[in-house]
């Protein structure tokens, strides 16, 4: 989702508000704003008291500002960038699928003539194309474009995920390695290198730093829905999807099971069918075993796999799975085979702090002091200590609030839960009143995150009491030096009551304005 910030006079802000009335779907007034509206097309416009106006969305042209020369220049520059060549782009496939690998492809569109050929083939986002069409045109694209494809087998993926606990870390490594492979095979990356954004740019580079990736491709442009705008990203998306489909077909032939794509009920049915013919251990070769589908198909006990010590040094090997084609005119199949054998991603000395913190996590149940709250208790548990009912109630509450109520379509279940400690406030009947999670920062020592703070019964102070307890525990039991969080802008006063300070300008995250906040030991108000 793109974001634009403009400085406007009060008259301009009032005029903008009037001109957008017919587009409004939802209106609110978060902290420090004059107003915030969400349009029917998903655009969020936030007018701040300072005179800044933040536009967040995929298409801001509906504002129609013919007299705004700066807007015209920005639009012209953006259109020129999209249509300039050469350009390189990368995209990933398989991150939302219970079965099958993660595939990342980087491709280069060298000139306008090649881009025109792509347009004639109607190459666009692979998610908007049928599988049969993708299988038909992908070989043409592979012949036409310099490209690098990385396929991470499920077994290797599961090994690495057991250490990183974050699928986006793995995807970041694959994107970076795909571009490195192009460079190693003689392709000079153009000035314009685009990644279909799956996390903030700073987070992407932090992920690479955390796993000690030394050779990092920089000067990258990150943009959401880039596959619908940049031909290089669209082509990479199609090639990656075709390779994913090929692996899925091969898996079906090998195991005698039709592996349904996605992570829903159809994938569950494939898992149940698989277990009728094969052992649960073999799921590690076909599935992403940290997905909640494992529980739904009755295989949750097989998530852990081999001891962590076996995977202290990991590599994503691509001997059989990576194809690097830098020039279809000069590379032969033997050349490709040679390249395949040398391509790998190293994961040396991965930080295991989250694992250690999880092992030392506590399970306490503390009663609040006030007479009014004697029947209310606070508990803190690791993921493995949560009962199925507790986990269900937690996830349901989070989805109800962050996805349904706030009308925000994003992956609420993000993989961090495995390494987090989960705080619950429950009434005497076991009903969830408030919730949050804490987890250690993977980069900064003695730094912890607080996130997913919710209350199901509002205006009773439950959320504030739970936050206070978590902060006390972090400083006193986990010896945190700093606690950090991302707060929706309307909730800034809530966290300020506990002493948190705003440490960033407002930024857009999944269509909702946020700020970074921090609380350091010894500096509480």
């Amino acid at each position: 989702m793109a974001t634009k910030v403009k400085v406007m006079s009060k008259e301009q802000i009032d005029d903008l508000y009037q001109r957008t009335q017919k587009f409004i779907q939802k209106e609110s007034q978060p902290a420090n704003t004059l107003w915030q509206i969400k349009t029917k097309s998903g655009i969020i416009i936030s007018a701040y008291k300072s005179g800044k106006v933040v536009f967040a969305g995929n298409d801001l042209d509906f504002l129609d500002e013919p007299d705004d020369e700066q807007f015209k220049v920005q639009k012209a520059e953006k259109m020129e960038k999209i249509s300039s060549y050469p350009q390189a782009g990368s995209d990933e496939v398989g991150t939302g699928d219970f079965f099958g690998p993660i595939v990342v492809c980087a491709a280069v569109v060298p000139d306008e003539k090649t881009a025109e050929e792509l347009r004639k083939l109607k190459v666009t986002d692979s998610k908007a194309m049928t599988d049969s069409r993708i299988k038909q045109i992908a070989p043409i694209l592979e012949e036409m474009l310099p490209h690098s494809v990385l396929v991470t087998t499920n077994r290797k993926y599961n090994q690495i995920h057991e250490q990183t606990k974050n699928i986006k870390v793995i995807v970041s490594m694959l994107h970076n390695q795909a571009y490195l492979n192009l460079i190693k095979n003689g392709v000079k990356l153009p000035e314009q290198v685009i990644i279909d954004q799956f996390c903030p740019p700073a987070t992407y580079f932090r992920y690479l730093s955390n796993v000690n990736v030394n050779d990092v491709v920089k000067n990258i442009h990150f943009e959401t829905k880039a596959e619908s705008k940049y031909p290089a990203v669209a082509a990479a998306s199609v090639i990656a999807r075709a390779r994913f489909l090929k692996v899925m077909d091969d898996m079906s032939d090998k195991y005698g099971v039709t592996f349904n794509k996605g992570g829903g009920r159809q994938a569950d049915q494939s898992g149940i069918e698989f277990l009728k013919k094969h052992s649960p251990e073999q799921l590690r070769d076909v599935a992403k075993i940290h997905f909640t589908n494992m529980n739904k198909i009755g295989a949750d006990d097989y998530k852990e796999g081999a001891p962590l010590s076996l995977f202290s040094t990991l590599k994503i090997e691509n001997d059989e799975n990576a194809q690097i084609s830098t020039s279809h005119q000069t590379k032969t199949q033997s050349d490709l085979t040679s390249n395949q054998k040398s391509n790998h991603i190293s994961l040396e000395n991965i930080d295991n702090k989250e694992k250690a913190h999880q092992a030392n996590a506590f399970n306490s149940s503390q009663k609040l002091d006030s007479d009014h709250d004697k029947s209310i208790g606070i508990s803190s548990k690791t993921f493995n200590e949560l009962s199925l009912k507790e986990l269900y109630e937690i996830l349901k509450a989070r989805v109800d609030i962050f996805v349904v109520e706030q009308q925000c379509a994003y992956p609420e279940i993000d993989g961090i839960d495995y390494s987090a400690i989960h705080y619950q406030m429950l009434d005497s009947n076991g009903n969830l009143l408030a919730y949050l999670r804490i987890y250690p920062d993977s980069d900064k020592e003695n730094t912890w995150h607080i996130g997913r703070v919710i209350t199901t019964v509002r205006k009773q102070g439950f959320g504030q009491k739970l936050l206070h307890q978590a902060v006390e525990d972090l400083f006193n039991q986990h010896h945190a030096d700093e606690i950090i969080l991302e707060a929706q802008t309307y909730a800034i006063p809530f966290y300020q009551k506990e002493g948190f300070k705003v440490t960033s300008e407002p930024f857009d995250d999944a269509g909702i304005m946020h700020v970074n906040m921090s609380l350091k030991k010894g500096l509480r108000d």
Side-chain angles (χ1 to χ4, degrees):
M1 180 176 289
T3 301
K4 289 186 179 181
V5 179
K6 295 187 179 183
V7 177
M8 294 185 174
S9 66
K10 184 179 184 301
E11 291 74 18
Q12 288 175 316
I13 291 175
D14 291 340
D15 180 62
L16 175 63
Y17 180 78
Q18 294 300 322
R19 288 194 291 120
T20 54
Q21 286 300 293
K22 63 181 180 179
F23 299 108
I24 293 179
Q25 181 185 70
K26 181 180 178 181
E27 183 173 352
S28 60
Q29 189 179 10
N32 301 318
T33 67
L34 298 170
W35 46 263
Q36 182 182 83
I37 64 172
K38 182 176 182 179
T39 71
K40 297 174 183 178
S41 60
I43 308 299
I44 295 176
I45 307 175
S46 305
Y48 288 87
K49 295 177 182 179
S50 64
K52 288 185 178 180
V53 180
V54 179
F55 302 88
N58 296 321
D59 184 2
L60 307 179
D61 293 347
F62 79 95
L63 292 172
D64 189 21
E65 301 179 84
D67 297 325
D68 189 338
E69 292 301 321
Q70 181 181 2
F71 180 80
K72 286 183 176 181
V73 170
Q74 290 177 343
K75 182 177 178 181
E77 289 177 347
K78 182 176 181 180
M79 294 306 297
E80 180 181 358
K81 188 174 185 180
I82 292 174
S83 59
S84 66
Y85 303 96
Q87 65 177 234
S90 59
D91 200 3
E92 73 282 344
V93 174
T95 56
D97 296 274
F98 177 46
F99 291 107
I102 300 292
V103 183
V104 170
C105 176
V108 178
V109 177
D111 48 43
E112 171 60 36
K113 180 180 178 181
T114 305
E116 180 59 30
E117 292 181 28
L118 296 178
R119 284 189 283 269
K120 290 179 180 178
L121 289 171
K122 297 182 179 179
V123 174
T124 182
D125 176 15
S126 65
K127 293 186 288 293
M129 301 171 64
T130 64
D131 289 349
S132 59
R133 177 60 177 165
I134 288 171
K135 291 178 180 179
Q136 180 184 7
I137 68 170
I140 300 174
L141 301 184
E142 292 179 2
E143 285 294 317
M144 182 186 301
L145 306 174
H147 67 281
S148 168
V149 180
L150 294 175
V151 180
T152 305
T153 65
N154 285 96
R155 181 163 288 272
K156 186 61 64 177
Y157 169 85
N158 289 321
Q159 290 175 356
I160 299 172
H161 190 274
E162 283 167 4
Q163 289 199 16
T164 64
K165 301 296 184 185
N166 192 332
I167 191 172
K168 292 183 179 180
V169 173
I170 301 172
V171 174
S172 299
M173 295 170 61
L174 290 169
H175 275 275
N176 186 67
Q177 189 64 40
Y179 286 119
L180 290 177
N181 285 346
L182 287 172
I183 295 171
K184 290 176 181 177
N185 285 275
V187 176
K188 182 179 180 181
L189 291 184
E191 291 185 6
Q192 188 171 199
V193 178
I194 310 108
I195 287 181
D196 185 35
Q197 183 170 328
F198 56 90
C199 68
T203 303
Y204 171 87
F205 290 109
R206 177 168 58 83
Y207 286 155
L208 296 178
S209 176
N210 287 351
V211 292
N212 298 326
V213 175
N214 296 318
D215 198 356
V216 176
V217 175
K218 299 181 180 179
N219 299 320
I220 295 173
H221 173 68
F222 296 81
E223 188 168 338
T224 57
K225 297 189 181 300
E227 68 276 14
S228 64
K229 305 170 188 175
Y230 298 89
V233 180
S237 174
V238 171
I239 295 173
R241 182 68 175 177
R243 193 62 58 86
F244 174 84
L245 295 173
K246 175 65 166 58
V247 174
M248 291 287 277
D249 289 343
D250 291 345
M251 281 171 35
S252 293
D253 292 341
K254 179 177 179 179
Y255 293 99
V257 175
T258 298
F259 292 104
N260 289 308
K261 295 180 284 293
R265 292 181 179 178
Q266 290 184 327
D268 294 340
Q269 289 300 317
S270 295
I272 293 170
E273 186 65 25
F274 181 88
L275 290 176
K276 292 178 180 178
K277 300 181 179 182
H278 307 282
S279 69
E281 167 61 24
Q282 288 180 285
L283 281 168
R284 299 177 66 84
D285 295 315
V286 297
K288 302 174 185 72
I289 61 172
H290 62 91
F291 275 39
T292 56
N293 302 78
M294 291 288 285
N295 176 262
K296 296 176 183 178
I297 65 176
D300 196 54
D301 292 341
Y302 295 87
K303 278 184 178 180
E304 293 304 319
L308 183 67
S309 59
L310 294 179
F311 309 131
S312 59
T313 303
L314 298 177
K315 295 181 179 180
I316 300 178
E317 300 289 354
N318 294 286
D319 292 353
E320 298 178 357
N321 300 310
Q323 178 171 336
I324 315 302
S325 176
T326 56
S327 173
H328 67 277
Q329 295 177 334
T330 60
K331 290 288 181 182
T332 66
Q333 186 59 45
S334 61
D335 291 328
L336 295 179
T337 303
S338 175
N339 287 332
Q340 289 171 7
K341 293 182 179 180
S342 64
N343 295 322
H344 64 271
I345 297 178
S346 297
L347 272 179
E348 306 290 345
N349 302 319
I350 292 180
D351 190 348
N352 290 314
K353 292 176 186 175
E354 289 190 2
K355 198 77 176 181
H357 281 295
Q358 182 174 343
N360 294 325
F362 61 95
N363 176 14
S364 64
S365 182
Q366 300 148 336
K367 291 291 182 181
L368 302 179
D369 293 333
S370 97
D371 291 337
H372 176 73
D373 292 327
K374 282 183 178 178
S375 63
I376 297 174
I378 293 177
S379 71
S380 55
K381 298 183 179 182
T382 66
F383 183 84
N384 290 334
E385 292 168 338
L386 293 171
S387 69
L388 288 178
K389 182 181 184 300
E390 287 176 317
L391 180 60
Y392 173 84
E393 294 297 335
I394 288 169
L395 296 180
K396 181 180 185 301
R398 281 165 39 178
V399 170
D400 284 347
I401 292 173
F402 292 127
V403 179
V404 179
E405 179 181 312
Q406 297 187 352
Q407 298 182 8
C408 182
Y410 80 108
E412 165 57 29
I413 301 173
D414 57 6
I416 294 176
D417 290 319
Y418 289 113
S419 59
I421 299 173
H422 303 265
Y423 276 71
Q424 304 172 77
M425 180 179 286
L426 306 172
D427 67 14
S428 58
N429 295 318
N431 297 313
L432 184 67
L433 302 176
Y435 166 85
L436 61 81
R437 70 184 184 186
I438 64 172
Y439 57 96
D441 189 89
S442 59
D443 188 24
K444 297 181 181 178
E445 189 174 0
N446 297 328
T447 298
W448 284 69
H449 295 257
I450 291 179
R452 301 297 198 263
V453 182
I454 58 172
T455 56
T456 61
V457 179
R458 294 169 180 168
K459 299 188 183 300
Q460 299 295 317
F462 295 145
Q464 202 77 54
K465 291 171 183 175
L466 187 64
L467 177 65
H468 179 78
Q469 185 64 60
V471 169
E472 288 291 316
D473 290 345
L474 282 169
F475 284 138
N476 297 327
Q477 298 190 37
H478 297 282
H479 309 292
D481 292 330
E482 183 180 15
I483 306 170
I484 56 180
L485 56 84
E486 293 182 359
Q488 296 184 19
T489 51
Y490 81 88
I492 291 174
F494 171 81
Y495 293 106
Q496 287 176 329
K497 290 180 182 178
E498 192 60 37
F500 283 86
K501 307 292 186 184
V502 175
T503 58
S504 75
E505 291 293 321
F507 61 90
D508 176 81
D509 185 3
I512 298 176
M513 299 309 296
H514 288 69
V515 293
N516 292 325
M517 301 189 76
S518 169
L519 176 60
K520 295 184 178 180
K521 190 172 184 177
L523 297 180
R524 299 169 70 181
D525 292 338

